[in-house]
Amino acid sequence: MRKLFLSLLLSACAVISVNAQEAFTIQQYHVDVTVNKDASLDITETIQVYFTESRHGIIRKIPYKYALAPLPAGTEKAERQLESNGQAQTILENIGVRDQHFTVRNSGNYKEIKIGSKDKYVDGVQQYIIHYRMLNAINFFKDHSELYLNIIGDQWDTNIDSASFSIQLYDALPATPSYFVATGATGSQENNSVSAWTGNQTFSGSTTVSLQANQGLTVGIVFPDQFLTKQNYMLRDMPWLILPVLVFAFMFRIWRKYGKDESLTITTQYYPPNNISPSVAGYVIDNALDRRDLTALVPYWGAGGYLQVKETEKKSLLGLIKTSEYEFIKLKDLPATALTFERTLFNGIFASGSTVALDSLKDVLYKTMDKAKTELESEVDRDAYYVKYSRGLVYLFMILGLASLGIGIFQLVTNWGNPYWFPVAFIISGIIIVSFGFFMVK
Protein backbone atom coordinates (compact mmCIF):
# COMPACT_ATOMS: atom_id res chain seq x y z
CA MET A 1 0.00 0.00 0.00
CA ARG A 2 2.83 2.39 0.88
CA LYS A 3 4.57 1.64 -2.46
CA LEU A 4 1.33 2.32 -4.35
CA PHE A 5 0.87 5.66 -2.57
CA LEU A 6 4.49 6.67 -3.28
CA SER A 7 4.08 5.73 -6.95
CA LEU A 8 0.92 7.83 -7.27
CA LEU A 9 2.61 10.77 -5.52
CA LEU A 10 5.61 10.67 -7.88
CA SER A 11 3.29 10.45 -10.89
CA ALA A 12 1.31 13.47 -9.70
CA CYS A 13 4.52 15.47 -9.20
CA ALA A 14 5.65 14.57 -12.71
CA VAL A 15 2.32 15.75 -14.16
CA ILE A 16 2.55 19.02 -12.24
CA SER A 17 6.12 19.54 -13.45
CA VAL A 18 5.14 18.98 -17.09
CA ASN A 19 2.08 21.23 -16.85
CA ALA A 20 4.13 24.03 -15.29
CA GLN A 21 6.30 24.27 -18.41
CA GLU A 22 5.40 25.91 -21.70
CA ALA A 23 3.62 24.00 -24.48
CA PHE A 24 6.79 24.21 -26.56
CA THR A 25 10.51 23.60 -26.42
CA ILE A 26 13.24 25.78 -27.91
CA GLN A 27 15.35 23.81 -30.37
CA GLN A 28 17.83 26.56 -31.21
CA TYR A 29 18.40 29.96 -29.59
CA HIS A 30 20.97 32.22 -31.25
CA VAL A 31 21.77 35.80 -30.18
CA ASP A 32 23.76 38.36 -32.20
CA VAL A 33 25.06 41.38 -30.28
CA THR A 34 26.75 44.40 -31.84
CA VAL A 35 28.64 46.64 -29.38
CA ASN A 36 28.74 50.19 -30.75
CA LYS A 37 31.22 52.96 -29.97
CA ASP A 38 28.51 54.92 -28.14
CA ALA A 39 28.05 51.97 -25.72
CA SER A 40 24.72 50.97 -27.23
CA LEU A 41 23.94 47.35 -28.02
CA ASP A 42 22.06 46.18 -31.11
CA ILE A 43 20.66 42.75 -30.33
CA THR A 44 18.98 40.21 -32.60
CA GLU A 45 17.54 37.00 -31.18
CA THR A 46 16.68 34.09 -33.50
CA ILE A 47 14.51 31.56 -31.66
CA GLN A 48 13.46 28.28 -33.24
CA VAL A 49 10.53 26.85 -31.33
CA TYR A 50 8.80 23.47 -31.52
CA PHE A 51 5.17 23.61 -30.33
CA THR A 52 3.87 20.42 -28.77
CA GLU A 53 0.38 21.96 -28.65
CA SER A 54 -1.33 24.61 -30.74
CA ARG A 55 -0.74 28.09 -29.35
CA HIS A 56 -1.05 31.71 -30.49
CA GLY A 57 2.68 32.34 -30.09
CA ILE A 58 5.30 33.07 -27.41
CA ILE A 59 6.09 35.75 -24.85
CA ARG A 60 9.65 37.10 -24.56
CA LYS A 61 10.34 38.82 -21.25
CA ILE A 62 13.43 41.05 -21.28
CA PRO A 63 14.53 42.50 -17.94
CA TYR A 64 15.22 46.22 -17.98
CA LYS A 65 15.39 46.85 -14.23
CA TYR A 66 17.90 45.13 -11.99
CA ALA A 67 18.29 45.11 -8.22
CA LEU A 68 21.70 46.45 -7.18
CA ALA A 69 23.58 44.16 -4.82
CA PRO A 70 25.55 45.77 -1.96
CA LEU A 71 29.23 46.16 -2.82
CA PRO A 72 31.98 44.87 -0.52
CA ALA A 73 33.98 47.55 1.26
CA GLY A 74 36.67 49.07 -0.95
CA THR A 75 35.05 47.94 -4.22
CA GLU A 76 34.84 50.58 -6.93
CA LYS A 77 31.26 51.45 -7.85
CA ALA A 78 30.42 51.55 -11.53
CA GLU A 79 29.44 54.91 -13.01
CA ARG A 80 25.91 54.12 -14.07
CA GLN A 81 22.95 56.32 -14.82
CA LEU A 82 19.24 55.79 -14.29
CA GLU A 83 19.61 54.39 -10.79
CA SER A 84 16.87 54.84 -8.20
CA ASN A 85 15.37 52.93 -5.28
CA GLY A 86 18.19 50.38 -5.29
CA GLN A 87 17.67 49.49 -8.94
CA ALA A 88 19.62 50.07 -12.14
CA GLN A 89 17.75 50.48 -15.36
CA THR A 90 18.50 49.94 -19.03
CA ILE A 91 16.61 51.47 -21.94
CA LEU A 92 15.10 49.20 -24.57
CA GLU A 93 14.09 50.81 -27.85
CA ASN A 94 13.43 50.00 -31.50
CA ILE A 95 11.80 46.71 -30.51
CA GLY A 96 10.60 44.70 -33.49
CA VAL A 97 9.70 41.16 -34.51
CA ARG A 98 10.20 40.15 -38.13
CA ASP A 99 7.02 39.17 -40.01
CA GLN A 100 5.01 38.73 -36.81
CA HIS A 101 2.26 40.57 -35.00
CA PHE A 102 3.48 41.66 -31.56
CA THR A 103 2.73 43.99 -28.67
CA VAL A 104 5.06 45.41 -26.03
CA ARG A 105 4.20 46.39 -22.47
CA ASN A 106 5.94 46.93 -19.15
CA SER A 107 5.35 44.12 -16.68
CA GLY A 108 7.14 44.73 -13.40
CA ASN A 109 10.87 44.80 -14.11
CA TYR A 110 10.43 43.37 -17.61
CA LYS A 111 9.56 44.45 -21.10
CA GLU A 112 7.05 41.84 -22.19
CA ILE A 113 6.96 41.19 -25.94
CA LYS A 114 3.84 39.21 -26.80
CA ILE A 115 4.35 37.61 -30.22
CA GLY A 116 1.52 36.11 -32.23
CA SER A 117 -2.03 36.85 -33.32
CA LYS A 118 -5.09 36.15 -31.19
CA ASP A 119 -6.86 35.05 -34.37
CA LYS A 120 -4.25 32.51 -35.41
CA TYR A 121 -2.87 29.31 -33.91
CA VAL A 122 0.54 27.85 -34.68
CA ASP A 123 2.09 24.45 -34.06
CA GLY A 124 5.18 22.46 -34.95
CA VAL A 125 8.40 24.31 -35.79
CA GLN A 126 8.22 28.12 -35.79
CA GLN A 127 10.97 30.74 -35.97
CA TYR A 128 10.87 34.14 -34.27
CA ILE A 129 13.43 36.89 -34.94
CA ILE A 130 13.42 39.68 -32.36
CA HIS A 131 15.48 42.85 -32.65
CA TYR A 132 15.98 45.67 -30.16
CA ARG A 133 18.53 48.23 -29.03
CA MET A 134 19.72 48.36 -25.42
CA LEU A 135 21.18 51.47 -23.78
CA ASN A 136 22.87 51.97 -20.40
CA ALA A 137 23.99 48.33 -20.29
CA ILE A 138 27.73 49.12 -19.94
CA ASN A 139 29.37 49.61 -16.55
CA PHE A 140 31.99 52.38 -16.65
CA PHE A 141 34.92 52.52 -14.22
CA LYS A 142 37.89 54.87 -13.87
CA ASP A 143 40.25 52.86 -16.08
CA HIS A 144 37.98 50.47 -18.00
CA SER A 145 34.41 49.52 -18.87
CA GLU A 146 32.53 46.24 -18.65
CA LEU A 147 29.76 44.47 -20.50
CA TYR A 148 27.74 42.16 -18.27
CA LEU A 149 24.88 40.81 -20.32
CA ASN A 150 22.33 38.06 -19.87
CA ILE A 151 22.49 36.75 -23.42
CA ILE A 152 19.66 34.35 -22.62
CA GLY A 153 17.57 35.18 -19.57
CA ASP A 154 16.19 32.81 -16.97
CA GLN A 155 12.52 33.54 -17.71
CA TRP A 156 11.94 30.65 -20.12
CA ASP A 157 9.79 27.95 -18.49
CA THR A 158 10.99 25.38 -20.99
CA ASN A 159 14.15 23.59 -22.11
CA ILE A 160 16.55 25.11 -24.64
CA ASP A 161 18.22 22.32 -26.62
CA SER A 162 21.00 24.45 -28.05
CA ALA A 163 22.07 28.06 -27.47
CA SER A 164 24.72 30.12 -29.21
CA PHE A 165 25.86 33.73 -29.39
CA SER A 166 28.06 36.10 -31.36
CA ILE A 167 29.27 39.43 -29.95
CA GLN A 168 30.65 41.77 -32.61
CA LEU A 169 32.67 44.83 -31.49
CA TYR A 170 32.70 47.99 -33.61
CA ASP A 171 36.52 47.70 -33.76
CA ALA A 172 39.19 45.19 -32.82
CA LEU A 173 40.69 45.32 -29.33
CA PRO A 174 44.46 45.71 -28.94
CA ALA A 175 44.60 42.36 -27.12
CA THR A 176 42.31 39.56 -26.06
CA PRO A 177 40.31 40.96 -23.13
CA SER A 178 39.32 39.41 -19.85
CA TYR A 179 35.96 37.70 -20.17
CA PHE A 180 33.75 35.00 -18.74
CA VAL A 181 30.77 32.86 -19.75
CA ALA A 182 28.34 31.37 -17.23
CA THR A 183 25.42 29.00 -17.78
CA GLY A 184 22.70 27.67 -15.50
CA ALA A 185 20.36 29.18 -12.94
CA THR A 186 20.71 32.73 -11.63
CA GLY A 187 24.01 33.12 -9.77
CA SER A 188 25.59 30.01 -11.30
CA GLN A 189 29.30 30.15 -12.18
CA GLU A 190 29.24 26.97 -14.24
CA ASN A 191 30.34 27.20 -17.84
CA ASN A 192 28.83 24.51 -19.99
CA SER A 193 29.87 26.17 -23.25
CA VAL A 194 32.71 26.54 -25.72
CA SER A 195 33.73 30.01 -26.92
CA ALA A 196 36.52 31.77 -28.80
CA TRP A 197 37.69 35.17 -30.04
CA THR A 198 38.21 35.94 -33.71
CA GLY A 199 40.63 38.77 -34.39
CA ASN A 200 39.95 40.30 -30.97
CA GLN A 201 36.73 41.69 -32.46
CA THR A 202 34.21 38.85 -32.50
CA PHE A 203 33.45 36.69 -29.49
CA SER A 204 31.25 33.68 -30.18
CA GLY A 205 30.24 30.53 -28.40
CA SER A 206 27.64 27.82 -27.89
CA THR A 207 26.41 25.59 -25.11
CA THR A 208 27.61 22.02 -24.74
CA VAL A 209 24.50 20.86 -22.84
CA SER A 210 20.83 21.79 -22.95
CA LEU A 211 19.61 24.62 -20.76
CA GLN A 212 16.86 23.48 -18.45
CA ALA A 213 13.77 25.56 -17.63
CA ASN A 214 14.68 28.91 -16.02
CA GLN A 215 18.36 28.55 -16.84
CA GLY A 216 20.24 31.16 -18.86
CA LEU A 217 23.55 32.20 -20.37
CA THR A 218 25.56 35.24 -19.25
CA VAL A 219 28.65 36.84 -20.81
CA GLY A 220 31.03 39.40 -19.32
CA ILE A 221 33.75 41.30 -21.23
CA VAL A 222 36.22 43.94 -19.97
CA PHE A 223 37.08 46.79 -22.36
CA PRO A 224 40.06 49.15 -22.06
CA ASP A 225 39.59 52.78 -21.12
CA GLN A 226 38.20 55.02 -23.91
CA PHE A 227 37.16 52.03 -26.05
CA LEU A 228 33.52 52.93 -25.42
CA THR A 229 32.09 56.44 -25.02
CA LYS A 230 29.96 57.07 -21.97
CA GLN A 231 26.65 58.75 -22.78
CA ASN A 232 24.46 61.09 -20.77
CA TYR A 233 21.08 59.40 -21.01
CA MET A 234 19.42 62.03 -18.83
CA LEU A 235 19.64 64.36 -21.84
CA ARG A 236 17.45 62.03 -23.88
CA ASP A 237 14.06 63.39 -24.87
CA MET A 238 15.19 67.01 -24.36
CA PRO A 239 13.57 67.94 -27.70
CA TRP A 240 10.25 67.46 -25.88
CA LEU A 241 10.93 70.84 -24.24
CA ILE A 242 9.94 72.40 -27.56
CA LEU A 243 6.36 71.29 -26.80
CA PRO A 244 5.67 73.93 -24.06
CA VAL A 245 7.06 76.64 -26.36
CA LEU A 246 4.71 75.57 -29.16
CA VAL A 247 1.80 75.28 -26.73
CA PHE A 248 2.46 78.80 -25.39
CA ALA A 249 2.61 80.25 -28.91
CA PHE A 250 -0.63 78.48 -29.86
CA MET A 251 -2.47 79.49 -26.68
CA PHE A 252 -1.28 83.11 -27.00
CA ARG A 253 -2.63 83.25 -30.54
CA ILE A 254 -5.96 81.74 -29.45
CA TRP A 255 -6.19 84.20 -26.54
CA ARG A 256 -5.47 87.22 -28.75
CA LYS A 257 -8.15 86.15 -31.21
CA TYR A 258 -10.89 84.92 -28.87
CA GLY A 259 -10.09 85.93 -25.29
CA LYS A 260 -8.41 89.34 -25.26
CA ASP A 261 -10.74 92.13 -24.22
CA GLU A 262 -11.09 95.05 -26.58
CA SER A 263 -9.43 98.33 -25.56
CA LEU A 264 -11.94 100.62 -23.81
CA THR A 265 -11.83 104.05 -22.24
CA ILE A 266 -12.37 103.45 -18.53
CA THR A 267 -14.17 106.07 -16.44
CA THR A 268 -14.88 105.95 -12.72
CA GLN A 269 -18.42 104.85 -11.80
CA TYR A 270 -19.74 104.69 -8.24
CA TYR A 271 -22.90 102.77 -9.02
CA PRO A 272 -23.66 99.76 -11.20
CA PRO A 273 -24.92 100.51 -14.71
CA ASN A 274 -28.65 101.08 -15.07
CA ASN A 275 -30.80 97.95 -14.99
CA ILE A 276 -27.88 95.80 -13.79
CA SER A 277 -28.15 94.57 -10.24
CA PRO A 278 -25.05 94.33 -8.02
CA SER A 279 -25.28 90.54 -8.21
CA VAL A 280 -24.89 90.54 -11.98
CA ALA A 281 -22.14 93.18 -11.81
CA GLY A 282 -20.20 91.21 -9.18
CA TYR A 283 -20.46 88.02 -11.20
CA VAL A 284 -19.36 89.59 -14.48
CA ILE A 285 -16.44 91.51 -12.95
CA ASP A 286 -14.51 88.48 -11.68
CA ASN A 287 -16.36 85.64 -13.45
CA ALA A 288 -17.02 84.07 -10.07
CA LEU A 289 -20.36 83.86 -8.29
CA ASP A 290 -20.03 84.27 -4.53
CA ARG A 291 -22.71 84.47 -1.83
CA ARG A 292 -21.77 88.08 -1.24
CA ASP A 293 -22.86 88.83 -4.82
CA LEU A 294 -26.37 87.73 -3.81
CA THR A 295 -26.42 89.33 -0.34
CA ALA A 296 -25.48 92.64 -2.02
CA LEU A 297 -29.10 92.70 -3.15
CA VAL A 298 -30.29 93.55 0.39
CA PRO A 299 -28.92 97.14 0.46
CA TYR A 300 -29.84 97.42 -3.24
CA TRP A 301 -33.47 96.61 -2.41
CA GLY A 302 -33.33 98.93 0.60
CA ALA A 303 -32.21 101.81 -1.60
CA GLY A 304 -35.06 101.00 -3.99
CA GLY A 305 -37.64 101.10 -1.21
CA TYR A 306 -38.56 97.41 -1.34
CA LEU A 307 -37.47 96.46 2.17
CA GLN A 308 -36.25 97.91 5.42
CA VAL A 309 -33.69 96.50 7.83
CA LYS A 310 -34.55 97.19 11.47
CA GLU A 311 -32.01 96.77 14.27
CA THR A 312 -33.19 96.06 17.81
CA GLU A 313 -31.14 95.73 20.97
CA LYS A 314 -31.66 92.79 23.30
CA LYS A 315 -30.41 92.94 26.88
CA SER A 316 -29.70 90.08 29.26
CA LEU A 317 -28.13 89.56 32.71
CA LEU A 318 -29.60 92.79 34.09
CA GLY A 319 -28.51 94.72 31.02
CA LEU A 320 -24.87 93.73 31.30
CA ILE A 321 -24.94 91.87 27.98
CA LYS A 322 -26.32 93.56 24.91
CA THR A 323 -26.87 91.88 21.54
CA SER A 324 -28.23 93.24 18.30
CA GLU A 325 -30.98 91.54 16.37
CA TYR A 326 -32.10 92.37 12.85
CA GLU A 327 -35.45 92.19 11.13
CA PHE A 328 -36.29 92.44 7.46
CA ILE A 329 -39.50 94.35 6.79
CA LYS A 330 -41.10 94.03 3.36
CA LEU A 331 -42.32 97.42 2.08
CA LYS A 332 -43.53 96.39 -1.37
CA ASP A 333 -43.16 93.67 -3.98
CA LEU A 334 -40.41 93.70 -6.56
CA PRO A 335 -41.42 95.07 -9.97
CA ALA A 336 -42.38 92.73 -12.77
CA THR A 337 -39.15 93.64 -14.56
CA ALA A 338 -37.03 92.11 -11.77
CA LEU A 339 -34.94 89.14 -12.84
CA THR A 340 -36.00 85.64 -11.85
CA PHE A 341 -33.15 85.07 -9.39
CA GLU A 342 -33.99 88.37 -7.61
CA ARG A 343 -37.63 87.37 -7.17
CA THR A 344 -36.58 83.88 -5.97
CA LEU A 345 -34.37 85.33 -3.23
CA PHE A 346 -36.79 88.12 -2.28
CA ASN A 347 -39.81 85.84 -2.04
CA GLY A 348 -37.72 83.28 -0.13
CA ILE A 349 -36.86 85.86 2.52
CA PHE A 350 -40.48 86.88 3.03
CA ALA A 351 -42.06 83.47 2.52
CA SER A 352 -43.28 83.40 6.15
CA GLY A 353 -44.58 86.99 6.32
CA SER A 354 -43.83 90.66 5.79
CA THR A 355 -41.58 90.89 8.87
CA VAL A 356 -38.84 88.28 9.28
CA ALA A 357 -36.08 87.94 11.86
CA LEU A 358 -32.63 87.37 10.35
CA ASP A 359 -31.96 84.47 12.75
CA SER A 360 -34.92 82.55 11.30
CA LEU A 361 -33.57 82.67 7.73
CA LYS A 362 -30.55 80.36 8.05
CA ASP A 363 -32.15 77.25 6.56
CA VAL A 364 -34.36 79.20 4.18
CA LEU A 365 -31.50 81.22 2.70
CA TYR A 366 -29.32 78.14 2.27
CA LYS A 367 -31.82 76.51 -0.11
CA THR A 368 -33.06 79.72 -1.70
CA MET A 369 -29.58 81.08 -2.45
CA ASP A 370 -28.52 77.87 -4.20
CA LYS A 371 -31.55 78.12 -6.48
CA ALA A 372 -30.92 81.83 -7.05
CA LYS A 373 -27.28 81.17 -7.97
CA THR A 374 -28.32 78.69 -10.65
CA GLU A 375 -30.89 81.12 -12.04
CA LEU A 376 -28.36 83.97 -12.02
CA GLU A 377 -25.86 81.91 -14.03
CA SER A 378 -28.54 81.01 -16.58
CA GLU A 379 -29.73 84.59 -16.96
CA VAL A 380 -26.18 85.92 -17.39
CA ASP A 381 -25.61 83.36 -20.16
CA ARG A 382 -28.97 84.16 -21.76
CA ASP A 383 -28.49 87.94 -21.76
CA ALA A 384 -25.09 87.65 -23.53
CA TYR A 385 -22.92 89.49 -21.02
CA TYR A 386 -20.05 87.41 -22.45
CA VAL A 387 -18.90 86.89 -26.02
CA LYS A 388 -20.47 83.72 -27.39
CA TYR A 389 -18.48 80.53 -26.69
CA SER A 390 -15.76 82.36 -24.70
CA ARG A 391 -16.89 80.76 -21.44
CA GLY A 392 -17.00 77.37 -23.14
CA LEU A 393 -13.35 77.79 -24.12
CA VAL A 394 -12.52 78.19 -20.43
CA TYR A 395 -13.90 74.74 -19.61
CA LEU A 396 -12.35 73.20 -22.73
CA PHE A 397 -8.86 74.47 -21.91
CA MET A 398 -9.25 73.52 -18.25
CA ILE A 399 -10.00 69.94 -19.28
CA LEU A 400 -7.12 69.83 -21.79
CA GLY A 401 -4.70 71.42 -19.34
CA LEU A 402 -5.59 69.09 -16.47
CA ALA A 403 -5.32 66.10 -18.84
CA SER A 404 -1.83 67.21 -19.86
CA LEU A 405 -0.87 67.67 -16.21
CA GLY A 406 -2.23 64.23 -15.36
CA ILE A 407 -0.28 62.55 -18.18
CA GLY A 408 2.93 64.30 -17.13
CA ILE A 409 2.60 63.51 -13.43
CA PHE A 410 1.67 59.87 -14.16
CA GLN A 411 4.68 59.42 -16.45
CA LEU A 412 6.99 61.12 -13.97
CA VAL A 413 5.89 58.92 -11.07
CA THR A 414 5.71 55.60 -12.94
CA ASN A 415 9.06 56.14 -14.69
CA TRP A 416 10.92 57.77 -11.82
CA GLY A 417 14.66 57.68 -12.47
CA ASN A 418 14.24 57.81 -16.24
CA PRO A 419 14.97 60.90 -18.35
CA TYR A 420 12.21 63.24 -17.22
CA TRP A 421 11.96 65.75 -20.09
CA PHE A 422 8.90 64.08 -21.63
CA PRO A 423 6.71 64.26 -18.47
CA VAL A 424 8.09 67.70 -17.55
CA ALA A 425 7.12 68.99 -21.01
CA PHE A 426 3.55 67.77 -20.50
CA ILE A 427 3.37 69.25 -16.99
CA ILE A 428 4.58 72.68 -18.17
CA SER A 429 2.23 72.53 -21.16
CA GLY A 430 -0.68 71.71 -18.86
CA ILE A 431 0.11 74.69 -16.62
CA ILE A 432 0.27 76.97 -19.68
CA ILE A 433 -3.08 75.73 -21.02
CA VAL A 434 -4.81 76.09 -17.63
CA SER A 435 -3.32 79.58 -17.11
CA PHE A 436 -4.56 80.84 -20.48
CA GLY A 437 -7.92 79.21 -19.82
CA PHE A 438 -8.54 81.62 -16.92
CA PHE A 439 -8.24 84.57 -19.29
CA MET A 440 -10.39 83.26 -22.14
CA VAL A 441 -13.60 84.77 -20.78
CA LYS A 442 -14.49 87.83 -22.87
Side-chain angles (χ1 to χ4, degrees):
M1 185 68 182
R2 182 180 299 176
K3 289 183 179 180
L4 177 59
F5 175 76
L6 182 59
S7 176
L8 291 174
L9 180 61
L10 292 175
S11 298
C13 291
V15 170
I16 293 173
S17 176
V18 169
N19 289 338
Q21 293 191 348
E22 299 283 3
F24 61 83
T25 59
I26 298 176
Q27 296 178 327
Q28 173 63 39
Y29 200 135
H30 179 75
V31 180
D32 288 302
V33 180
T34 300
V35 181
N36 302 306
K37 173 67 176 176
D38 63 0
S40 64
L41 307 178
D42 285 312
I43 301 175
T44 300
E45 301 182 3
T46 303
I47 309 172
Q48 183 170 302
V49 175
Y50 178 75
F51 285 93
T52 56
E53 300 176 15
S54 294
R55 289 290 186 268
H56 293 288
I58 64 173
I59 297 176
R60 170 70 168 107
K61 297 175 70 174
I62 306 174
Y64 73 101
K65 290 183 180 180
Y66 303 86
L68 295 173
L71 294 175
T75 302
E76 181 183 358
K77 185 179 183 298
E79 298 178 16
R80 290 182 60 91
Q81 300 178 60
L82 310 183
E83 289 187 8
S84 63
N85 300 323
Q87 287 188 319
Q89 181 169 326
T90 60
I91 299 172
L92 299 177
E93 61 181 18
N94 302 336
I95 299 174
V97 182
R98 185 184 301 176
D99 300 328
Q100 296 285 344
H101 177 271
F102 70 96
T103 58
V104 180
R105 72 181 185 96
N106 292 342
S107 177
N109 294 337
Y110 296 86
K111 289 283 187 182
E112 187 176 276
I113 308 172
K114 194 171 185 178
I115 307 171
S117 171
K118 65 178 182 180
D119 300 322
K120 179 183 178 182
Y121 283 90
V122 294
D123 54 22
V125 178
Q126 302 291 328
Q127 187 180 76
Y128 300 96
I129 301 177
I130 307 169
H131 177 80
Y132 52 93
R133 171 167 286 194
M134 182 180 292
L135 308 178
N136 200 39
I138 303 295
N139 296 317
F140 285 89
F141 298 89
K142 292 180 180 179
D143 58 357
H144 69 282
S145 58
E146 294 180 359
L147 169 66
Y148 186 96
L149 182 65
N150 292 321
I151 298 289
I152 297 176
D154 59 2
Q155 296 301 308
W156 292 104
D157 293 328
T158 189
N159 294 346
I160 301 175
D161 297 337
S162 176
S164 58
F165 65 88
S166 176
I167 301 176
Q168 178 76 26
L169 309 183
Y170 74 92
D171 196 6
L173 295 168
T176 302
S178 299
Y179 67 91
F180 77 88
V181 179
T183 58
T186 301
S188 171
Q189 296 182 0
E190 287 186 323
N191 180 15
N192 294 312
S193 71
V194 291
S195 57
W197 281 91
T198 302
N200 291 335
Q201 188 172 4
T202 303
F203 182 52
S204 56
S206 59
T207 56
T208 56
V209 298
S210 297
L211 296 177
Q212 303 302 305
N214 302 117
Q215 291 186 345
L217 187 153
T218 302
V219 172
I221 303 174
V222 178
F223 302 112
D225 191 27
Q226 304 300 320
F227 183 75
L228 300 177
T229 304
K230 184 170 64 174
Q231 305 296 309
N232 187 351
Y233 296 111
M234 293 305 293
L235 298 180
R236 283 172 55 86
D237 297 335
M238 278 196 72
W240 276 103
L241 291 182
I242 298 175
L243 178 64
V245 177
L246 297 177
V247 169
F248 181 87
F250 174 77
M251 292 301 301
F252 183 77
R253 184 174 180 180
I254 294 295
W255 171 76
R256 287 199 63 178
K257 186 173 182 179
Y258 299 105
K260 184 179 179 182
D261 292 330
E262 297 177 2
S263 298
L264 299 172
T265 301
I266 300 175
T267 58
T268 303
Q269 298 286 335
Y270 297 98
Y271 297 98
N274 293 332
N275 301 320
I276 295 182
S277 72
S279 298
V280 174
Y283 184 21
V284 173
I285 285 173
D286 58 8
N287 194 40
L289 181 55
D290 304 312
R291 286 187 177 273
R292 63 183 179 182
D293 293 330
L294 291 173
T295 56
L297 287 170
V298 173
Y300 177 68
W301 289 331
Y306 299 103
L307 62 74
Q308 177 183 353
V309 180
K310 181 180 179 181
E311 180 182 6
T312 58
E313 191 176 82
K314 183 179 180 181
K315 298 180 180 180
S316 58
L317 292 179
L318 302 177
L320 296 177
I321 298 178
K322 299 178 181 180
T323 57
S324 295
E325 294 184 349
Y326 297 91
E327 288 182 335
F328 290 158
I329 302 173
K330 178 181 175 181
L331 301 179
K332 60 181 179 179
D333 291 326
L334 294 180
T337 56
L339 295 176
T340 303
F341 77 90
E342 293 185 38
R343 292 198 301 271
T344 295
L345 187 58
F346 190 86
N347 294 335
I349 292 174
F350 297 106
S352 61
S354 297
T355 301
V356 182
L358 178 61
D359 289 343
S360 67
L361 293 177
K362 291 181 181 179
D363 293 335
V364 173
L365 285 179
Y366 179 80
K367 297 177 181 179
T368 304
M369 289 185 76
D370 283 343
K371 183 179 180 182
K373 283 177 64 177
T374 302
E375 292 173 345
L376 172 55
E377 290 174 335
S378 299
E379 290 177 358
V380 167
D381 289 338
R382 183 195 65 202
D383 293 339
Y385 288 96
Y386 296 95
V387 173
K388 192 176 183 180
Y389 302 128
S390 69
R391 297 182 74 198
L393 288 176
V394 174
Y395 299 117
L396 173 63
F397 289 137
M398 288 296 174
I399 293 171
L400 293 177
L402 292 175
S404 181
L405 275 170
I407 291 172
I409 293 172
F410 176 79
Q411 291 291 328
L412 190 64
V413 171
T414 55
N415 295 285
W416 187 257
N418 283 345
Y420 42 72
W421 303 114
F422 172 79
V424 166
F426 270 78
I427 291 173
I428 296 175
S429 297
I431 294 173
I432 292 172
I433 295 172
V434 169
S435 300
F436 271 98
F438 280 114
F439 298 100
M440 289 306 299
V441 176
K442 185 176 180 181

